Structures are given as structure tokens and as C-alpha cells.
Amino acid sequence: MVAHPFLLRLSAGSRGRCRTMNRDDGVYTLDHAWDCIVGEGTAGSRGSPVSSDDSDEESEEMSEGELEALKEQVEEKKKLIATIRNKPWRMQKRLSVLKEAQDFVERFEGALGKGKGRRLYAFKVMMTKKLIKFNRDFENFKTACIPWEMKIKEVESHFGSSVASYFIFLRWMYGLNLILFGFMFGLVVMPEVLMGLPYGSIPRKTVPRSDQATEMDLSVLLDFGGYCQYSVLFYGYYNSDRTIGVLKFRLPLSYLLTSVGIFGYSLLVVIRMMARNADVGGDGGDDADFTFSWKMFTSWDYLIGNPETADNKYASITTSFKESIVDEQENQKDENIHLRRFCRVSANVLILCSLGGSGYLIYYVVKRSQDFAKMDPSSLSWFEKNEVEFVMSLLGLVCPPLFESIAELEDYHPRIALKWQLGRIFALFLGNLYTFLFALFDEVNGKLEEELSIKNSSEWALSQYYANYSAFYNTTVVPPPNVSPADVIRGPCWETAVGQEFVKLTVSDVEVTFLTILIGDFVRAFIVRFLNYCWCWDLEAGFPSYGEFDISGNVLGLVFNQGMIWMGAFYAPGLIGINVLRLLTSMYFQCWAVMACNVPHERVFKASKSNNFYMGLLLLVLFLSILPVIYTIMTMPPSFDCGPFSGQQKMYDVVMETINQDLPAFMGTIFSYASNPGLIMPAVLLMVLAIYYLNTVSKAYQQANADLKKKMKTARDDEKNRRNNKDSTNQMMKDLEELLPNKSLLPPPFEEDTPSGTHTKQTKTKPGPTGKGVNVEKEVSLAAPNPRRPVTQAPVQRAGPPMNARGAHAEPGRGRGRGGPPRR
Amino acid sequence: MGNKQTIFTAQQLDAYQDCTYFTRKEILRLFYRYRDLAPQLVPLDYTNHPDVKLPYELIGSMPELKDNPFRQRIAEVFSEDGQGNMTLNDFLDMFSVLSEMAPRDLKAYYAFKIYDFNDDDFICKSDLEKTLNKLTRNELTEDEVRMVCEKVIDEADLDNDGRLSLEDFQHMIVRAPDFLRYRNSDT
């Protein structure tokens, strides 16, 4: 979320990004390289006839020292060629220097290859060049493959870089989800589809007889029941055979490991992104030091290519300057602090109440939906069936503006208010999600009991069948019951139910987002545009006007959507695929919507200086979504008749089984040792110690950094003092100065340059525009104030360092440390 | 990567790739953009280094630059004659420095030159005033302008000469959070 001073891009076509490799020298053709080898001869000249080769070699044999020096020179030239684009020269100069350096390298590189191993050397050189060319081509190809680059650039030029950064985040999410989908699809879904039993062969893969009448109804399908429920989308479809197919693919193990691996991979990627952003982020605490300078030099976004955006940018820059000016003056303003505190406390209380209220509402609604589930589906209205999702989306829509209006009470600086707002929305989403989860797991417990009873009853039925059969036919070999899979009694399969809930939630979230955009942005823009002709006030300028793109709301929505996907992927492997589709359509839809219906922001206040704020949120959400899944794997017993873990006591038992049966014996003993608490405790302790150590080391580095900065600052201030007021930094000299009669120890001070105003760093109180004294300057510098001495002698023209603006004064000795004491 | 184009020789293209941050394709694209500004002036054959300069008015009307308040200064800084009339070399140079691959220090150097309106290697108060007025389109009052300029000099002027030298400017600008290189998000 950064603006772009000093950055321009061409507005059509792809963007190249291949500048990471070291380019030693240009790419020479193959002939060229061979020329260097073949066309040897005297050092420095090429193309001499081959016949005179030997004699030339002997006579022109270079000494080792010369060879080394030459080699060094060639290396230097090569380095120059590699860094020539970093030099601030004119292109013409660069081109000529480049040509010269390349000629030099060309000439002597061949010569260097003389004597021992020259063929090998030349070959090495040629291979390096080929490698460089290959790298460059590969980078070109890679950048050409980045999707949606043009779209995002277009958005950027209209709306600035903060809006575009949302789309870049969206694209990154899309990439992440695509990879997760690849994992899930390739390792879990495909094997089951290709090598597992087909639909209808076993009970868990067949729609029960009672539901078969409605199995393909659209309403049932949209609810993810019927045929959808008994498909690869959900957990319940997968069979628990240890190995399937010819390849003996271990599906249950793969299911478990993939689910855990998804979290591991996401964690890796998010942390890598954070680390990459971290070194771009804060550079130490010098935040407030250069406010006005930064505003002046870095506020213009050079990527803006649209007059409307430019207008908005001008307006926002002007506003920002005015605000900073007022801020400076406002430090003295001292309002009624008690009133402010009271307002803030009451605002927080209100918000806490609304958060609590929303949590309770969700809990209540989920409980009600459990009751509804027990009733006959046909007697329920659509609203009652989808109540949970509806309520959650509604809360997500209504509460943020509510928080914003309550926050008006607090009267914070906009940046701080934005942070509070984001924090509250985050808390809202989190609370909602977790309440939903708790209610869901409550339901699961109910289902578990139901399952136990069904299991008991089906076992009893089976034993009855065997008893009857053997009694009737008087045999001991009893064929399995000839029951069609659709008629078998089956348990409630709670994992599939949980998966269904997640999928429904995701889908409804998508629907709500799209509807909001359509109505909130498109219809609004439509109305404002066309109703404006016949309305009393100017709709475009006043209420409601066109919408602005809500970056933080959208990013938070994206983050939470991803959290739900992470949670739900274990129970519904197809969920990731649904999410991929959703992100794809979202990209196109939102790009269109933003270009067609939104206007650029008037006021730009970033929530944080680096992208890490949103990445940090993502990381937090990732951790929070791991918890339910880990809890399920470790403690909840799997359903006895559906899913890949049916028949096990706990889900992770597949891993134990694999270790015991498939891996060699010693591995089993290793694992059993490794899971020994006696080993794990020291390992945990070691990690804690390592973290503590790294923390201490980093603190030490920070301290060293701060010390260096301070040292630099004092060195600079000393310079300043040395040039400004020689007679006031050294306290002892000052005392001595008082004692001596004619104060002749120190050279007389510089003449004061009164016309351009004083530059001492005393606290300045200038008469501000409003007439009251404005405390513009921060206190202090290390320099003591200049003692104003009476002017006792006529000003002597001295050619000292021009510290004051005295017109064009091209002094060679200016600059820090080079301006010596002035000549008399 | 066939050498199908006849605008530049292979050596020229390689030299440009070494001297700028652009790939071959980008250089060709830039050439076509340059040419589109004035097709009758710019020949399609640069192998013999024709001396073609496009006047500032054409450069300043490019969509990337036309909304930029500093476009005139940018063109002046990067043009050989200092008036804003750019040859193809200047054009490539400008886009190379302003591209996202260029390092911070290089940008800071050129940024300093851009903001130095009177070309005296210092950003003095009048330069600051001009910058501010261009940024805000003269919307601030004179007092406010004066106050902001004084504040800037107070903040950034380290050697205390009442104006910003290149060192002062660089010291201030490399710490700016907005100035850091744009990072693209990859998986």
C-alpha cells in the first residue's frame, strides 16, 4: 500500500522484471568467442595468421604479474559493464564508456586465455555467457506469464497504488489457492476418482433410498445435499481402504498428510512474504523527523495517468499539507480531556456490546438451525433454511458502518481511527467465526451420540441376520447380506455435515459480496448518474455520490474468506476448488466494478507503512484456523461408516498404522522414541532457548544501530558547530574565554548573515498566519546557541565556506569536513 | 528470439540492455512509443544513429507524463539540451531511471535534480516554493507556503546552509517509507 514517487511505467504492454542476475558482460555470439580462441596471436591483437603462432607465443609470453594485473583490469571493466546502468550519466556517455570497456574486455580476455588451459578458459567464458543469456530469456518468459498485469496497471493509473495493491493481494491469494487446489486435487481427489470404487457401489457413496426422489433437484443441489453430498466434494465420499488401485495408493494417509501439508505450505508462504516485506518496511524510528520533507518530495504518485485521479491527488495533497500545518499548531490546543476520555470509554463500551450482541445472535441462530434440521425440510421457508449464513453476512455488512459512526464520538486522528476500525472489524469477524464454530461443534457432539446409537442398532441388525441365516440354512458360512447400498442404515456422518456448513457459508459470502458490489456500487452509480438530471440537489457532489473503493473492508473480507477455506478444506476437499473459481470471478468482476462505478479516494491515510499489517492478519487467521482441524484430528472420533478414517479410533491412527505396518521396524522404534515426552520436552526447551537467544541478538543489533546513528548525528552536529560557532561548543574554551582579557584565544566569529534570517536552532516562535506565536521548531540541537557578540570590527571579507546563501558561490572546498577554517 | 527487427543492430540492442534496466522487448516497445509521438520525424532505422530530437510539447503530452506536475522538469533533467527536447537515448534513459528496477540511490540523485528548478545543485527556498506550488496548484496561502518551506529546511538541512544539498536530500529521502522500491507480491 505505498504511493509511487519517482516511478513511471509505460501504460501498455507487459512489464519486465528481470534485473536480478549479475550480467557480467554482454552476450557475444558464438563466433565471437571462438575468434578469441582461434584468432590468438600477439597479446592485444587479433587475427594474425596462425602460422606465426608458436613463435609469437614464445616471444610474447606474459609474466605472471602482468597477467594478474591484466586479469584484474579485465575484472574491473567487467564490473563496470555490469553496473553501468546504475551510474547517473547521460546515455551517450554510458554507451561510449560501455563500448570502450567491452572492447577492452574482448581484446584481453582472449589474451588471458593464453598459455595453460586457454581452451578451458575460453570454454568456461562461453558457457557463462550462454548461461547469462538463458537466465535472461527465462526471466523474460516468467514475467510474460504473470496474469492480469495489464488490468492491474490500468486500475493503478486510475486509482493510485493503494487500490491496486488490493488487486495484487487478490492475485497472490489466487496463486496460493491454485497451488493448494493442486495438492488436494492431485493427491486426494484424483486417486479416489480414478482408482477408488465408483459411485453407487458402497453405502457411503450412494444417496440413501429415502432421498433418492429429490437427489437431483436444483434446490437440494444448491444446498449441497442430494447428489452433491455424496460426491468427491465432501469428506464422506472417501473410502477407508488402506490401499487402493494397482499402485497401492494409501488414500487415508494421503488425505491426512495433505490436509496438514496445506497448512504447512501456507504458513511457509505467508512467512516468506512477510520477511520479504519486512526489510522494505520501517527503517528505524525516524518517523516524525521528516514529515514535511516527505510530504513535499514523495507525496506525488508518479504512476497516475488520469486527469480525474490527478485532480483528486492534488486535492488530497493540499488537504494533507493543511492538516499538517494545523497539526503543528494544534499541539498547544488543550481540550476538555475528561470529556474526550468519557466519550472514548462510552464508545468502546457500545462497541463491545454490539460485538457481544452479534456473537450471541449467531449462537442463537445456529441453535435454531439445529432445530430446523430436525423438522421436515419442505415445511421450512428458504429464509429459515439459510438463516445462519444470512445472519452472518448481514452482520458483516451492517456492523462496520455502525462501528464507524460510533467511532465519531472518539475524535481520533484519522490514521489512528482507521487502525481502531480495522481492529474492531477483525474482532467482529473473528468472534463471528468462532461462535459459529462452537455452535457447529456442539451440533457435532449431538450427532456423535446419534451415531453411536445407529452403530449399535446396525451391528445388532447384522448379528441378527447372521443368526437367522445360519439357523435357517444350517450352515456356518454365511454370505454377506444382499442389500443394495442405498438401503443400508447409515450414521449421520458429522464431518460431511460440517463440510457442508462451511461450503454453504463460503458460497453465501460470495453471493453477498457480489450483491453488495452490484447494488452498493453499480446501482448507486447508475442512479446518481441518471437521476441527477431531475433531482433537486447535486447527487454527484453531495449525498450519495459515487462510492469509493473500500480497501480495508475488502482485504479483511479476503483474509477471512481464506481462513474459512483453511478450516473447511479438511472436511470438504472440493472447497478449495470452489474458492479458486470464486477468486477468479472476483478478480474480473471487481476490476470491472472499480473501473465502472468507483471514484478515486479523496483522502488517503494508510493503516501502516508496510504491507505487513495485512500479512500479519493473514498469519493470525492461519493459526486460528489450524486449531479446529488439529482438534478434530487429535481428539474427535471419526464416523464409523464414512470418510477415509472410518473404523479408526482417532484420525491420526492411520499414521501410526502406516509406521507400524509399512515402514521398516527400526523406523517404528525411532518414532516411538521421538514421541516420548522425555525427548519432546528437551526439544521444546531447546527451541525456546533458541528463540530467546535470537531475540537477544536482534536487540543487541538494534542497540548497536541506535548507537551508530547517535554517533553519526553527533559527528554531524560537531561539524555544524565547528563551522557555525567555533567558540561555543567547547565548554572549557568557553570558560577560558571568560577569563582572558581580550578573548583572543579563539578566532573571531563569522559574520552573521542577517538578511537571510537566523539559522540557529533555538525555539522559534514565529508570528504565524493567525497572529499567535506558532511553536514551529522542536527544541534543541547539540549546538549551544550562538553567542551574539557586539560587532566591534568592520566585517572582513573572508572566503570561508559559504554556509549562508550568498548567491552562486562555487567554492571548491565546501561540504562536510572539507571546509577548513576561513582564510583571513 | 529471432532478430527479426531492423530498427537496431544487435550490438545496439545489447548495448541498450546493458545501459538500461530494460529487456529487449521493452526497449523495442519504448522505441515504438517514442516513434508514435511523431511518426514523420522518427525514422524506422536507427542503425546509423540518426540525430532526431522530439520537442518538449510532444514528450509532455504522453499519457504517463501529462498529469504529472513535474513533467517539464523531468524532461529538462533528462534531455541533453536541458530544454526538454529529447532524443531516443534521453527517452530511454528517463524511463530507465524512473522504472521500478532502478535503485533508490539513482532515483534520489535524479529526484534532486528534478526538484532543483534553478539548476544550481542546491534546493533552495525558491525551489521549494515552486515545488510546493506545483504540488498544490497554488491553493495554499503565501504564509502557509513560507511556513512549509521553512519547516522543510529545518528538517532536512543538516549542514545548516539554508538550502538542501544533494547529501541532505539523499539522507532525508532514503528514509522515506514511500520512496522504497515497489515490491510485487509473489507466491
Side-chain angles (χ1 to χ4, degrees), chain A residues 234-529:
Chain A
F234 292 106
Y235 172 99
Y237 185 82
Y238 297 87
N239 203 0
S240 65
D241 288 344
R242 272 199 74 238
T243 64
I244 51 176
V246 167
L247 296 171
K248 298 246 182 294
F249 189 79
R250 293 185 174 70
L251 188 74
L253 184 68
S254 154
Y255 195 97
L256 189 67
L257 290 180
T258 311
S259 305
V260 174
I262 280 180
F263 286 111
Y265 177 77
S266 311
L267 190 65
L268 233 136
V269 162
V270 172
I271 289 191
R272 189 173 65 171
M273 181 57 69
M274 282 184 83
R276 223 191 276 176
N277 285 341
D279 59 355
V280 167
D283 195 0
D286 278 349
D287 274 1
D289 280 0
F290 295 115
T291 334
F292 279 94
S293 315
W294 288 342
K295 270 205 199 331
M296 180 172 291
F297 294 118
T298 64
S299 54
W300 182 262
D301 189 345
Y302 278 42
L303 280 171
I304 290 178
N306 173 297
E308 220 178 271
T309 321
D311 283 340
N312 273 323
K313 193 70 181 171
Y314 284 123
S316 93
I317 290 177
T318 313
T319 319
S320 151
F321 269 113
K322 291 204 169 158
E323 278 172 356
S324 297
I325 294 176
V326 169
D327 262 352
E328 283 288 324
Q329 299 166 338
E330 207 186 89
N331 283 337
Q332 284 123 21
K333 221 173 15 161
D334 194 38
E335 272 186 20
N336 190 349
I337 207 168
H338 296 289
L339 180 66
R340 196 183 271 193
R341 274 201 199 133
F342 173 72
C343 283
R344 286 187 185 163
V345 166
S346 56
N348 276 320
V349 164
L350 277 173
I351 289 183
L352 274 174
C353 287
S354 46
L355 279 175
S358 84
Y360 176 70
L361 187 63
I362 292 184
Y363 194 77
Y364 172 72
V365 162
V366 173
K367 282 283 174 240
R368 246 171 47 128
S369 80
Q370 280 174 266
D371 297 334
F372 284 150
K374 297 198 179 81
M375 288 162 46
D376 181 17
S378 50
S379 67
L380 299 168
S381 67
W382 174 88
F383 176 72
E384 279 165 342
K385 272 195 272 195
N386 293 316
E387 203 172 24
V388 178
E389 290 79 29
F390 185 71
V391 165
M392 282 187 80
S393 313
L394 202 68
L395 281 173
L397 263 179
V398 162
C399 287
L402 181 68
F403 291 162
E404 236 177 289
S405 30
I406 296 181
E408 303 270 328
L409 266 179
E410 291 182 329
D411 195 21
Y412 277 126
H413 186 274
R415 183 176 294 133
I416 302 181
L418 184 62
K419 276 205 163 105
W420 275 96
Q421 175 73 357
L422 285 173
R424 286 176 185 139
I425 298 182
F426 186 75
L428 174 76
F429 281 165
L430 206 62
N432 288 355
L433 201 61
Y434 261 73
T435 321
F436 173 75
L437 268 178
F438 283 135
L440 209 62
F441 275 91
D442 258 356
E443 207 177 313
V444 166
N445 283 331
K447 284 220 162 74
L448 280 176
E449 287 167 10
E450 193 188 326
E451 183 183 317
L452 202 58
S453 71
I454 289 188
K455 182 175 178 181
N456 287 341
S457 70
S458 64
E459 274 177 6
W460 180 84
L462 204 61
S463 63
Q464 283 290 67
Y465 166 78
Y466 280 136
N468 286 348
Y469 199 91
S470 46
F472 195 66
Y473 286 109
N474 218 357
T475 58
T476 43
V477 180
V478 182
N482 190 9
V483 185
S484 143
D487 290 324
V488 173
I489 321 168
R490 56 189 75 197
C493 201
W494 61 270
E495 293 98 343
T496 302
V498 170
Q500 274 176 317
E501 285 298 315
F502 272 113
V503 173
K504 281 200 283 192
L505 196 61
T506 307
V507 168
S508 79
D509 194 37
V510 171
E511 286 169 356
V512 167
T513 315
F514 282 13
L515 272 177
T516 325
I517 294 179
L518 259 181
I519 297 182
D521 281 338
F522 182 66
V523 172
R524 171 176 169 180
F526 201 74
I527 289 179
V528 166
R529 172 67 65 90

Side-chain angles (χ1 to χ4, degrees), chain A residues 2-19 23 26-27 84-92 94-95 98 102 136-137 140 156 168 171-172 175-176 179 265 269 272-273 276 279-281 283 286 289-300 302 304-307 310-311 314 317-318 321-322 325 328 606 609 716 720 723-724 759 761 764 766 769 776-777 802-805 814 816, chain B residues 1 14-23 25-26 29-30 33 62-70 74 76-80 89-90 92-93 95-101 103 106-107 109-111 114-115 122-123 128 131-132 134-137 139-140 143-144 147-152 154-164 167-169 171-187:
Chain A
V2 293
H4 288 168
F6 318 120
L7 186 64
L8 264 192
R9 288 204 200 108
L10 276 192
S11 52
S14 67
R15 175 181 52 93
R17 262 192 332 128
C18 69
R19 298 294 93 172
R23 300 190 41 188
V27 173
I84 199 164
R85 57 174 77 88
N86 296 340
K87 304 252 187 266
W89 299 333
R90 289 239 175 266
M91 183 65 93
Q92 206 51 48
R94 259 187 252 161
L95 285 172
L98 177 74
Q102 278 175 346
R136 201 195 315 163
D137 288 341
N140 280 355
E156 197 163 25
I168 290 175
R171 182 174 63 186
W172 180 78
L176 175 65
I179 294 186
Y265 177 77
V269 162
R272 189 173 65 171
M273 181 57 69
R276 223 191 276 176
D279 59 355
V280 167
D283 195 0
D286 278 349
D289 280 0
F290 295 115
T291 334
F292 279 94
S293 315
W294 288 342
K295 270 205 199 331
M296 180 172 291
F297 294 118
T298 64
S299 54
W300 182 262
Y302 278 42
I304 290 178
N306 173 297
D311 283 340
Y314 284 123
I317 290 177
T318 313
F321 269 113
K322 291 204 169 158
I325 294 176
E328 283 288 324
K606 297 183 283 285
K609 296 240 161 66
R716 256 200 308 272
K720 250 195 285 193
R723 277 190 276 147
N724 291 346
H759 294 280
K761 296 229 176 237
K764 297 190 197 159
K766 305 183 160 3
V776 165
E777 180 60 49
M803 56 159 192
N804 301 314
R814 98 180 102 105
R816 219 152 281 135
Chain B
M1 307 284 147
D14 282 336
Y16 277 137
Q17 284 185 73
D18 279 322
C19 290
T20 65
Y21 296 95
F22 293 127
T23 62
K25 199 160 95 158
E26 287 166 336
R29 258 185 59 218
L30 277 163
R33 287 299 302 274
M62 284 185 73
E64 289 86 354
L65 285 177
K66 75 172 159 50
D67 290 308
N68 196 321
F70 301 111
I74 295 175
E76 283 171 12
V77 162
F78 284 103
S79 61
E80 261 179 55
N89 281 344
D90 301 332
L92 287 173
D93 204 10
F95 273 98
S96 170
V97 169
L98 288 172
S99 78
E100 51 194 13
M101 284 83 70
L106 190 61
K107 284 191 196 268
Y109 176 82
Y110 277 102
I114 290 174
Y115 289 127
F122 283 103
I123 296 183
L128 290 174
T131 309
L132 191 57
K134 276 211 189 304
L135 266 181
T136 58
R137 287 200 292 204
E139 294 249 343
L140 293 181
D143 275 337
E144 288 171 336
M147 193 195 132
V148 171
C149 295
E150 272 164 4
K151 227 11 207 121
V152 171
D154 284 337
E155 283 173 356
D157 186 17
L158 294 169
D159 51 12
N160 232 9
D161 57 358
R163 52 198 179 161
L164 303 185
E167 270 174 350
D168 299 336
F169 184 80
H171 177 258
M172 177 268 296
I173 209 89
V174 296
R175 280 168 179 62
D178 286 341
F179 191 71
L180 299 172
R181 193 190 305 211
Y182 182 64
R183 297 275 173 162
N184 207 357
S185 313
D186 274 346
T187 305

